[in-house]
Amino acid sequence: QVQLVESGGGSVQPGGSLRLSCAASGFPFGAYDMSWVRVQPGSRTGPQWVSSIKRDGRETQYWPAVQGRFTITRDNVNNTLHLEMNSLKKEDTAVYYCARGWGIGAILAPGAQGTQVSVSS
């Protein structure tokens, strides 16, 4: 059974930093491109794609609004995905999920819980 368990969220002030992690199991992690998506408060359009990383970690892509502030990485030995978030803004407030796949086609795991990131002063 595919499981993606997110952690590392929290409450920070604008300009702060957080590092999200996603522990993957139930599938060959190193064979999949991986992504982070988020659902912002009051969103009616579903998850917003944030960033993706190729299966070998050599290529990454970012939503323009987070480019230069967020860094996606992966550890294929420990089946873990990370998202380093710096210079956080209020508009980054959201529940963050990791997902299998690249770009807007990435798929959430069944029963995904996500991790809450709240940015406020």
Side-chain angles (χ1 to χ4, degrees):
Q1 180 180 359
V2 173
Q3 284 195 317
L4 297 170
V5 180
E6 302 88 352
S7 62
S11 297
V12 297
Q13 294 185 340
S17 298
L18 285 172
R19 185 174 190 250
L20 306 185
S21 296
C22 171
S25 61
F27 67 101
F29 180 75
Y32 283 80
D33 301 335
M34 295 294 296
S35 296
W36 286 97
V37 302
R38 66 187 182 186
V39 178
Q40 294 169 305
S43 173
R44 298 182 180 181
T45 57
Q48 177 191 58
W49 171 76
V50 175
S51 180
S52 295
I53 187 168
K54 289 291 188 182
R55 60 199 68 185
D56 61 6
R58 293 185 179 184
E59 183 179 347
T60 58
Q61 199 168 65
Y62 298 91
W63 180 252
V66 307
Q67 179 84 45
R69 300 189 295 120
F70 290 10
T71 303
I72 188 171
T73 58
R74 65 188 296 159
D75 179 350
N76 286 349
V77 173
N78 294 304
N79 295 346
T80 308
L81 182 72
H82 299 286
L83 186 68
E84 185 78 34
M85 306 188 297
N86 298 312
S87 303
L88 282 162
K89 303 178 180 180
K90 292 182 180 180
E91 52 265 40
D92 294 319
T93 295
V95 179
Y96 284 72
Y97 302 85
C98 58
R100 291 196 302 173
W102 180 267
I104 61 173
I107 301 172
L108 298 177
Q113 297 296 308
T115 187
Q116 174 72 52
V117 172
S118 299
V119 185
S120 67
S121 52

Short mmCIF file of all heavy atoms in Angstrom, two decimals, residues 1-32:
data_model
loop_
_atom_site.label_atom_id
_atom_site.label_comp_id
_atom_site.label_asym_id
_atom_site.label_seq_id
_atom_site.Cartn_x
_atom_site.Cartn_y
_atom_site.Cartn_z
N GLN A 1 0.84 -1.19 0.00
CA GLN A 1 0.00 0.00 0.00
C GLN A 1 0.88 1.25 0.00
O GLN A 1 1.77 1.39 0.82
CB GLN A 1 -0.90 0.01 1.23
CG GLN A 1 -1.82 1.22 1.30
CD GLN A 1 -2.69 1.19 2.55
OE1 GLN A 1 -2.62 0.26 3.35
NE2 GLN A 1 -3.50 2.21 2.73
N VAL A 2 0.59 2.15 -0.91
CA VAL A 2 1.35 3.38 -0.99
C VAL A 2 1.08 4.26 0.23
O VAL A 2 -0.08 4.51 0.58
CB VAL A 2 0.98 4.15 -2.27
CG1 VAL A 2 1.64 5.53 -2.28
CG2 VAL A 2 1.37 3.36 -3.51
N GLN A 3 2.15 4.68 0.87
CA GLN A 3 2.02 5.61 1.99
C GLN A 3 3.01 6.75 1.82
O GLN A 3 4.18 6.53 1.52
CB GLN A 3 2.27 4.91 3.32
CG GLN A 3 1.12 4.05 3.80
CD GLN A 3 1.25 3.66 5.26
OE1 GLN A 3 2.32 3.30 5.72
NE2 GLN A 3 0.15 3.73 5.99
N LEU A 4 2.53 7.96 2.03
CA LEU A 4 3.35 9.16 2.02
C LEU A 4 2.98 9.94 3.28
O LEU A 4 1.85 10.41 3.40
CB LEU A 4 3.08 9.99 0.77
CG LEU A 4 3.43 9.34 -0.58
CD1 LEU A 4 2.88 10.17 -1.74
CD2 LEU A 4 4.93 9.15 -0.71
N VAL A 5 3.91 10.02 4.21
CA VAL A 5 3.64 10.65 5.50
C VAL A 5 4.46 11.93 5.62
O VAL A 5 5.69 11.90 5.73
CB VAL A 5 3.96 9.69 6.65
CG1 VAL A 5 3.66 10.37 7.99
CG2 VAL A 5 3.15 8.41 6.51
N GLU A 6 3.75 13.05 5.64
CA GLU A 6 4.39 14.35 5.69
C GLU A 6 4.60 14.79 7.14
O GLU A 6 3.80 14.45 8.02
CB GLU A 6 3.54 15.40 4.98
CG GLU A 6 3.23 15.12 3.53
CD GLU A 6 1.97 14.28 3.32
OE1 GLU A 6 1.40 13.78 4.31
OE2 GLU A 6 1.55 14.15 2.14
N SER A 7 5.65 15.57 7.36
CA SER A 7 5.94 16.11 8.68
C SER A 7 6.76 17.38 8.52
O SER A 7 7.25 17.69 7.43
CB SER A 7 6.70 15.09 9.53
OG SER A 7 7.95 14.78 8.94
N GLY A 8 6.93 18.10 9.63
CA GLY A 8 7.80 19.27 9.65
C GLY A 8 7.10 20.61 9.57
O GLY A 8 7.75 21.66 9.66
N GLY A 9 5.79 20.61 9.42
CA GLY A 9 5.08 21.87 9.37
C GLY A 9 5.06 22.56 10.73
O GLY A 9 5.52 22.02 11.74
N GLY A 10 4.54 23.78 10.74
CA GLY A 10 4.47 24.54 11.99
C GLY A 10 4.05 25.96 11.73
O GLY A 10 3.64 26.32 10.62
N SER A 11 4.14 26.77 12.77
CA SER A 11 3.80 28.19 12.69
C SER A 11 5.06 29.02 12.77
O SER A 11 5.85 28.85 13.71
CB SER A 11 2.85 28.56 13.83
OG SER A 11 1.65 27.85 13.73
N VAL A 12 5.23 29.91 11.82
CA VAL A 12 6.41 30.77 11.78
C VAL A 12 6.00 32.19 11.40
O VAL A 12 4.92 32.41 10.85
CB VAL A 12 7.47 30.27 10.79
CG1 VAL A 12 8.01 28.90 11.20
CG2 VAL A 12 6.93 30.22 9.37
N GLN A 13 6.88 33.12 11.68
CA GLN A 13 6.67 34.50 11.27
C GLN A 13 7.15 34.68 9.83
O GLN A 13 7.98 33.91 9.35
CB GLN A 13 7.42 35.45 12.20
CG GLN A 13 6.88 35.45 13.61
CD GLN A 13 7.58 36.49 14.47
OE1 GLN A 13 8.67 36.95 14.17
NE2 GLN A 13 6.93 36.87 15.57
N PRO A 14 6.64 35.70 9.17
CA PRO A 14 7.15 35.99 7.82
C PRO A 14 8.67 36.15 7.84
O PRO A 14 9.24 36.75 8.75
CB PRO A 14 6.46 37.32 7.48
CG PRO A 14 5.19 37.27 8.26
CD PRO A 14 5.54 36.60 9.56
N GLY A 15 9.30 35.57 6.84
CA GLY A 15 10.75 35.56 6.79
C GLY A 15 11.38 34.34 7.40
O GLY A 15 12.60 34.12 7.26
N GLY A 16 10.59 33.54 8.09
CA GLY A 16 11.10 32.35 8.75
C GLY A 16 11.31 31.19 7.80
O GLY A 16 11.08 31.30 6.58
N SER A 17 11.75 30.08 8.38
CA SER A 17 12.08 28.89 7.58
C SER A 17 11.48 27.64 8.21
O SER A 17 11.29 27.57 9.42
CB SER A 17 13.60 28.72 7.50
OG SER A 17 14.22 29.81 6.87
N LEU A 18 11.20 26.68 7.35
CA LEU A 18 10.77 25.36 7.78
C LEU A 18 11.33 24.32 6.82
O LEU A 18 11.57 24.63 5.64
CB LEU A 18 9.24 25.25 7.78
CG LEU A 18 8.47 25.94 8.91
CD1 LEU A 18 6.97 25.89 8.62
CD2 LEU A 18 8.76 25.29 10.26
N ARG A 19 11.48 23.11 7.31
CA ARG A 19 11.91 22.01 6.45
C ARG A 19 10.89 20.88 6.57
O ARG A 19 10.73 20.30 7.64
CB ARG A 19 13.29 21.50 6.86
CG ARG A 19 13.85 20.42 5.93
CD ARG A 19 15.27 20.08 6.30
NE ARG A 19 15.95 19.24 5.32
CZ ARG A 19 16.28 17.97 5.53
NH1 ARG A 19 16.00 17.39 6.68
NH2 ARG A 19 16.91 17.30 4.58
N LEU A 20 10.23 20.63 5.47
CA LEU A 20 9.24 19.56 5.43
C LEU A 20 9.88 18.26 4.99
O LEU A 20 10.83 18.25 4.20
CB LEU A 20 8.11 19.91 4.46
CG LEU A 20 7.41 21.25 4.67
CD1 LEU A 20 6.24 21.38 3.69
CD2 LEU A 20 6.96 21.43 6.09
N SER A 21 9.35 17.16 5.50
CA SER A 21 9.81 15.84 5.12
C SER A 21 8.63 14.97 4.74
O SER A 21 7.51 15.18 5.22
CB SER A 21 10.59 15.18 6.26
OG SER A 21 11.76 15.91 6.56
N CYS A 22 8.90 13.99 3.90
CA CYS A 22 7.88 13.04 3.49
C CYS A 22 8.51 11.65 3.48
O CYS A 22 9.47 11.41 2.73
CB CYS A 22 7.35 13.39 2.11
SG CYS A 22 6.26 12.14 1.38
N ALA A 23 7.98 10.77 4.31
CA ALA A 23 8.46 9.39 4.36
C ALA A 23 7.61 8.52 3.46
O ALA A 23 6.38 8.47 3.63
CB ALA A 23 8.41 8.88 5.80
N ALA A 24 8.24 7.88 2.49
CA ALA A 24 7.52 7.10 1.50
C ALA A 24 7.69 5.61 1.75
O ALA A 24 8.77 5.15 2.16
CB ALA A 24 8.03 7.45 0.11
N SER A 25 6.63 4.85 1.50
CA SER A 25 6.69 3.40 1.62
C SER A 25 5.63 2.77 0.72
O SER A 25 4.69 3.45 0.28
CB SER A 25 6.51 2.95 3.07
OG SER A 25 5.24 3.34 3.56
N GLY A 26 5.78 1.47 0.45
CA GLY A 26 4.78 0.76 -0.31
C GLY A 26 4.96 0.82 -1.82
O GLY A 26 4.12 0.30 -2.56
N PHE A 27 6.03 1.44 -2.28
CA PHE A 27 6.32 1.50 -3.71
C PHE A 27 7.81 1.78 -3.89
O PHE A 27 8.47 2.25 -2.96
CB PHE A 27 5.48 2.58 -4.40
CG PHE A 27 5.80 3.99 -4.00
CD1 PHE A 27 6.59 4.80 -4.82
CD2 PHE A 27 5.33 4.54 -2.82
CE1 PHE A 27 6.89 6.10 -4.46
CE2 PHE A 27 5.64 5.83 -2.44
CZ PHE A 27 6.41 6.62 -3.27
N PRO A 28 8.36 1.53 -5.08
CA PRO A 28 9.79 1.78 -5.32
C PRO A 28 10.06 3.26 -5.48
O PRO A 28 10.04 3.81 -6.58
CB PRO A 28 10.06 1.01 -6.61
CG PRO A 28 8.74 0.95 -7.31
CD PRO A 28 7.71 0.87 -6.24
N PHE A 29 10.36 3.90 -4.36
CA PHE A 29 10.49 5.37 -4.31
C PHE A 29 11.46 5.90 -5.38
O PHE A 29 11.16 6.88 -6.06
CB PHE A 29 10.99 5.76 -2.91
CG PHE A 29 11.18 7.23 -2.70
CD1 PHE A 29 10.08 8.07 -2.54
CD2 PHE A 29 12.45 7.77 -2.62
CE1 PHE A 29 10.26 9.44 -2.32
CE2 PHE A 29 12.64 9.12 -2.41
CZ PHE A 29 11.54 9.96 -2.26
N GLY A 30 12.59 5.26 -5.52
CA GLY A 30 13.61 5.74 -6.45
C GLY A 30 13.21 5.65 -7.91
O GLY A 30 13.89 6.21 -8.77
N ALA A 31 12.11 4.99 -8.20
CA ALA A 31 11.64 4.85 -9.57
C ALA A 31 10.63 5.93 -9.95
O ALA A 31 10.17 5.96 -11.10
CB ALA A 31 11.01 3.47 -9.77
N TYR A 32 10.28 6.79 -9.02
CA TYR A 32 9.25 7.78 -9.26
C TYR A 32 9.78 9.20 -9.14
O TYR A 32 10.53 9.52 -8.20
CB TYR A 32 8.11 7.61 -8.26
CG TYR A 32 7.18 6.47 -8.58
CD1 TYR A 32 7.53 5.16 -8.26
CD2 TYR A 32 5.96 6.70 -9.21
CE1 TYR A 32 6.68 4.11 -8.55
CE2 TYR A 32 5.11 5.66 -9.50
CZ TYR A 32 5.47 4.36 -9.18
OH TYR A 32 4.62 3.33 -9.48
#
